[in-house]
Amino acid sequence: YSITVINAPQGIIQDFFQRSEVSQTGSEFSKEGLTQLWAFTVTSFFLLSPIGAIAGPRLAARFGRVPVMQANHALLLGGALLQAWASYFNAYQMFILGRAITGINVGMSTTVAPMYLCEIAPARIRGAVGT
């Protein structure tokens, strides 16, 4: 929940976007421009999560569940670091890219992790695990 819903810190993040834009271009976003950028920032997570959900099972079938989950954890770490470092580098673009990468991670997690859980579960509880 705390990864996907970013309404609580909206004002703080939008202020950061304004500061970042001023330092990069010397001008601020218009009110409408900032609203559109915020909408894109929120939806970038959800726009790319289906890519992870579609790619996850295919990658898992080719490379195995565990290696794909490990690579997926690296995606999560990369996305989180981009979001965290965005303010250090004063680049709102890094924050948006980090959210998009995290969206791919979540999509892949929702498909590959249940597959793996079903494989390792004892036969008597296999139907109850991973759903």
Side-chain angles (χ1 to χ4, degrees), residues 28-128:
E28 288 188 345
F29 287 113
S30 66
K31 184 177 180 179
E32 295 80 19
L34 185 60
T35 301
Q36 290 174 353
L37 183 63
W38 179 252
F40 180 73
T41 301
V42 172
T43 59
S44 64
F45 180 92
F46 301 104
L47 289 174
L48 293 182
S49 60
I51 292 172
I54 292 168
R58 293 179 180 163
L59 292 170
R62 181 167 181 176
F63 300 108
R65 274 60 159 160
V66 173
V68 170
M69 286 191 304
Q70 290 171 337
N72 196 33
H73 293 317
L75 272 179
L76 177 61
L77 179 62
L81 289 174
L82 280 170
Q83 291 175 76
W85 289 342
S87 63
Y88 178 78
F89 290 104
N90 207 17
Y92 68 88
Q93 298 90 341
M94 288 176 66
F95 185 84
I96 297 169
L97 180 62
R99 275 192 58 82
I101 290 171
T102 305
I104 294 170
N105 163 267
V106 168
M108 198 173 297
S109 293
T110 60
T111 56
V112 178
M115 291 167 59
Y116 179 68
L117 287 173
C118 286
E119 286 180 358
I120 65 168
R124 60 184 164 71
I125 62 167
R126 194 163 286 154

